[in-house]
Amino acid sequence: MIAADGLFILACGTGCAVVYHLLSAGTVGKVDVDVAASLLVAINFGLLITVQHGYRLKNITNLPRQWRITLTTWTGVFAALLAIAFTMKVSDEFSRGTMISFYLVGLAALLTWKAVTSRWTESALRSGVFANGRVVVIAEFGLAASSAALMELCQHGYRVMHTLEIRAKDLSSPLLMSRINAHFEDLIAYTRENKVEDVFLLMDWSRRHAIDSILDGLKVLPIPVHLIPDANVSRFLRYPLASAGNTWTAELRRAPLSWKECALKRMLDIVGASLALIVFAPVMLIAALFIVCTSRGPIFFRQTRNGFNGRAFRIFKFRSMSVLDDGPKIVQASRDDPRVTMVGKWLRKTSIDELPQIFNVLKGDMSLVGPRPHAAAHNSEYEQLIGTYAFRHHVKPGITGWAQVNGYRGETRALELMEKRVEHDLWYINNWSLALDVRILALTAVREFLRSKSH
């Protein structure tokens, strides 16, 4: 994998240099400096990805992580090498056109390559291509065929050579080893003869006596013995594990973002909101003029919403209705709502009414990406109906969010729709990353473009 990355980078660097020289000077010229720089980039990139465990099998199949570390590492390597070249006063040796094209083409090629290898590796794991580790399984009767954990082990490098299934009544018996003695001796002999590398135990963790007895019987084998999580425990062990001395815990719910994560998210918000304000300023000006000319009332509609940690703030929107409700009882806007003005229909269809929330982002009340904030009256209502609803306030609310790009947006006529929205919001909070925010923003842009085309 590291060799393939290196060849990709070297090919991109050399190709960009040759093409740029041909287009700018009509001749290939000397590209030895560019080739040397490409080789240096390839070596540093490979080493840094290795340090971040990017070439481990389980990480190769994690495409979002692969893209994230590829983007950050690629950009970091270029920034570092350009800084070194400038410091050593050798930057004149490099063509700016070649370096810019190398960065863009190389990044696009690597991201595509990572996507291809991730999907291929995932497919190969499912078909058992990498299942080379020879193991035997001692399982409670019936569990081996239905265990998702065992299936996953088989997909990630292990090949089950032999399975010893034990009936539940034998596992609960104090005379377990005498009952299964013959089968157990056969398993020991098979393990020795076939160079088995690991033994896996698959049974309910409450069977402490059975586990201890089997473990004692396996002491004659100089190979590791693993206990596979049972159905009751495995769902909790999917969460990140943290250690405290000799004790470990499963983090069932992550804490709010750390100060580093908050700083990264805030940086994205400021840069993104500033660019959005510049790009959409003409559209916002036209929308404001239409509102003034077609109906009475203020340009902006401000309403109390709950933000991070439940703190109240006033959200900005272009006024799209003839009413300005902001109290203990608010009726959601519905399809063909008579309160929506003529201009308001257009604003809502195109989502232009949401653009003033850019000011909320710049103020720090909101983020570009996060759970959508609901009116304070609706917050109070849904907190009583949905037990996990309040957890949405562990991050700042957003202009767009994971629920919205997955289709849960607009009016929520049924409680099930709000439950689905909350479910997606919680997934976003527990799996937050800068790359996920960028992905959601990109998906939002694409979906809004397609919606505008359909209208």
Side-chain angles (χ1 to χ4, degrees), residues 219-362:
K219 66 185 178 184
V220 297
L221 296 174
I223 59 176
V225 180
H226 309 273
L227 181 61
I228 298 175
D230 62 20
N232 294 323
V233 175
S234 60
R235 67 189 185 97
F236 297 118
L237 296 185
R238 287 195 293 264
Y239 293 93
L241 300 181
S243 61
N246 293 324
T247 302
W248 57 266
T249 63
E251 189 181 62
L252 302 183
R253 182 169 292 163
R254 66 162 290 169
L257 305 185
S258 68
W259 69 268
K260 290 182 181 179
E261 292 173 325
C262 286
L264 282 172
K265 191 168 175 62
R266 184 61 182 153
M267 182 174 65
L268 176 65
D269 287 342
I270 292 173
V271 172
S274 300
L275 289 173
L277 191 59
I278 294 170
V279 171
F280 293 112
V283 178
M284 294 172 71
L285 181 60
I286 292 170
L289 289 173
F290 277 155
I291 294 170
V292 170
C293 295
T294 58
S295 63
R296 292 181 179 180
I299 294 173
F300 295 112
F301 164 56
R302 292 185 296 173
Q303 191 179 68
T304 302
R305 303 285 171 100
N306 293 99
F308 177 70
N309 202 22
R311 287 196 294 265
F313 72 96
R314 301 275 281 177
I315 195 172
F316 292 100
K317 297 179 74 173
F318 279 126
R319 182 175 58 82
S320 59
M321 303 176 72
S322 57
V323 296
L324 300 170
D325 292 342
D326 186 18
K329 188 175 182 180
I330 296 174
V331 179
Q332 278 189 330
S334 59
R335 185 185 294 271
D336 300 323
D337 195 315
R339 298 172 300 165
V340 178
T341 64
M342 291 298 294
V343 172
K345 290 180 181 179
W346 170 68
L347 294 175
R348 285 175 170 269
K349 281 183 178 180
T350 57
S351 297
I352 291 174
D353 63 320
E354 309 283 359
L355 288 179
Q357 290 166 40
I358 294 171
F359 299 119
N360 287 114
V361 174
L362 292 173

